[in-house]
Amino acid sequence: MQSERERRFIGPRRGQLLFVLSFLALAVLLLSQIGTQTAWVRKTDFFAQPRFWPAVGVGGMVVFTALHLWRLPFRRIDRSDLREAQRWAAALEYMLWFMGYVVLVPLAGYLPVTLVFVPLLAWRMGYRSPQMMAISAGFAVFIVLFFKGVLAVRIPGAALYEYLPDAWRSFAILYL
């Protein structure tokens, strides 16, 4: 049974309690690490201390998130909260894809990994026709040419290139 306070709550309810709890846990974790991640420097003004503004920001996160939790009219997690958490987890999947990409580029090279990951991500998103696979592979080549050629972004050569013959190694490091 809902209380009068719960019935009068304006705004979407789904996922709010989970978000507040997870944000509060993250803020408390950050605040617990502030002493090891920042320094208090002698003979420096109070407001110029390297620890001051991060402590103000993270402390504010803890205080205001705790106040938000205190003022929430509901304290139970229901099915709509869990469905919302599943949507958040789906977004985190793409973060894992990106982290895999970042790990593999120094090992196998920018062009080969991009040529594999862009069509794989297109496939994962539901674009499975041969035409879309060709478009995504062409887009991957365009991205590599644009970043390496036009923007002149220096991306280190891959560890895999060390096993190529000398004639191919310099070409692979410069262009792949």
Side-chain angles (χ1 to χ4, degrees):
M1 186 82 180
Q2 285 186 339
S3 69
E4 178 65 26
R5 192 170 172 211
E6 287 176 332
R7 277 195 300 276
R8 289 188 305 151
F9 183 75
I10 298 172
R13 178 186 164 154
R14 65 190 178 281
Q16 199 169 127
L17 181 60
L18 283 175
F19 178 79
V20 169
L21 289 173
S22 59
F23 197 82
L24 183 61
L26 174 68
V28 167
L29 174 72
L30 289 174
L31 190 60
S32 73
Q33 300 300 310
I34 200 102
T36 60
Q37 299 297 315
T38 59
W40 198 264
V41 181
R42 293 177 191 228
K43 297 181 182 177
T44 303
D45 292 336
F46 182 70
F47 294 111
Q49 290 291 334
R51 185 177 293 168
F52 179 75
W53 291 111
V56 167
V58 175
M61 286 170 55
V62 170
V63 168
F64 293 121
T65 306
L67 286 173
H68 185 92
L69 179 63
W70 178 56
R71 294 295 295 161
L72 272 179
F74 42 85
R75 297 273 197 284
R76 292 178 301 276
I77 295 175
D78 61 3
R79 238 180 283 181
S80 64
D81 292 325
L82 297 176
R83 280 195 299 270
E84 189 73 18
Q86 285 177 335
R87 289 184 183 146
W88 298 344
L92 293 176
E93 175 196 355
Y94 290 98
M95 180 197 65
L96 293 174
W97 277 92
F98 179 71
M99 294 310 294
Y101 178 80
V102 167
V103 166
L104 289 176
V105 165
L107 300 175
Y110 185 42
L111 179 62
V113 173
T114 305
L115 274 173
V116 169
F117 265 78
V118 172
L120 273 176
L121 278 172
W123 181 273
R124 172 63 184 96
M125 291 171 56
Y127 300 104
R128 297 187 172 142
S129 69
Q131 178 186 9
M132 286 308 295
M133 291 294 106
I135 289 171
S136 64
F139 181 71
V141 171
F142 170 76
I143 289 293
V144 171
L145 290 175
F146 184 74
F147 274 83
K148 282 203 148 201
V150 176
L151 297 178
V153 175
R154 294 180 182 255
I155 297 172
L160 184 67
Y161 299 160
E162 298 300 323
Y163 298 106
L164 293 174
D166 290 337
W168 284 93
R169 186 178 306 143
S170 61
F171 172 79
I173 289 172
L174 287 175
Y175 301 109
L176 300 180

